[in-house]
Amino acid sequence: MADIRVAVAGAGGRMGAANIRAIAATPGLKLAAAFDRSGSPSIGKDATVLAGLEASGVPITDDVDVALAAADAVIDFTAPAASVPLAEKTAAKGLIHIIGTTGCSIEDDVAIRASGAKGGRIVKAGNFSLGLNILASLVKQAAAKLAEFDVEIIEMHHNRKVDAPSGTALMLGEAAAAGREISLADHSVRVRDGITGPRVAGTIGFATLRGGTVIGDHTVILAGPSERLELSHIAQDRSLFANGAMKALLWVASQQPGFYTMNDVLGLN
Ligand SMILES: NC(=O)C1=CN([C@@H]2O[C@H](COP(=O)(O)OP(=O)(O)OC[C@H]3O[C@@H](n4cnc5c(N)ncnc54)[C@H](OP(=O)(O)O)[C@@H]3O)[C@@H](O)[C@H]2O)C=CC1
Ligand SMILES: O=C(O)C1=N[C@H](C(=O)O)C[C@H](O)C1
């Protein structure tokens, strides 16, 4: 079978480079195009050279349509303002679209899911690592069994990250909420400041730390009377997320069009 031709969105970014290296290391995939925001200093550069590999002759373009015309699949770790319109385009062309972008609003997520219903073959996840997705299953189970315990989620990331709480922290919050059969939107406390009053029972709290080059640390604390359970995940290299994205791409290539998550890819539903 011919290799799947992959276009990388945000090719000049941290995850863009990690995804380009992962494509080069994955049998069955071939880098076909790379694109980034118009005006990005990466435009015109050789995509694989920018990612630290040998030259491939694939330049980074700012013409999305030219990039998509050369591809069967798109790997997109960019920003909501890029991923939402891109999902419309990939759906219209029947392309695979792997979305790692975080910071999406409820409306953004509704629009992306709608693209999945219009012929797109989309996998979207706040975190593509295997360990983190297993952690989310454990959190769901613990939150259900320890129904009276207070749930707090702490995350730390590098100082370039632009969204908070992280997509992963929100995923873990959704897992805890699912375990309790409640809606996260109605129970989350995303910021505390000043005289807040005592903790409201049944809420799910978030705390965000930013600094240095931390790739992604997450801890879910379940605090009960006289005991505390802490479930943690530490990402040590961005290749972790990129390898998960490749796994998702290869999996969704044999699925019907639709919207999927890593739970579907990993059979965790
Ligand atoms: N799901 C997962 O497993 C993971 C998700 N992420 C998420 O991936 C995203 C990217 O992270 P990271 O690579 O660190 O970020 P970077 O800022 O390094 O890269 C983002 C890239 O996307 C481009 N971009 C940003 N906004 C737009 C836009 N509106 N239109 C077109 N291109 C745009 C940027 O261009 P420019 O530099 O010019 O702005 C840049 O090249 C984030 O949302 C992050 O949270 C990260 C790691 C793992
Ligand atoms: O921006 C990042 O770097 C990361 N973003 C994702 C998130 O928001 O959870 C995943 C990972 O933790 C790294």
Side-chain angles (χ1 to χ4, degrees), residues 129-182:
S129 106
L130 171 61
L132 193 290
N133 282 276
I134 298 293
L135 177 71
S137 298
L138 297 175
V139 167
K140 181 177 175 186
Q141 193 186 342
K145 295 284 182 204
L146 303 173
E148 304 308 320
F149 282 37
D150 297 327
V151 180
E152 293 284 318
I153 301 172
I154 304 173
E155 56 107 334
M156 180 159 187
H157 284 85
H158 54 93
N159 57 22
R160 312 305 299 164
K161 185 160 178 65
V162 297
D163 56 305
S166 68
T168 308
L170 293 171
M171 242 175 91
L172 294 168
E174 289 289 359
R180 299 229 164 132
E181 299 182 359
I182 58 173

Side-chain angles (χ1 to χ4, degrees), residues 4 16 25 38 45 64 69 105 144 147 171 186 192-194 241 265:
I4 299 175
S38 186
K45 297 197 172 140
V64 182
S105 65
M171 242 175 91
D186 294 344
R192 292 188 183 102
D193 188 28
F241 311 125
V265 175

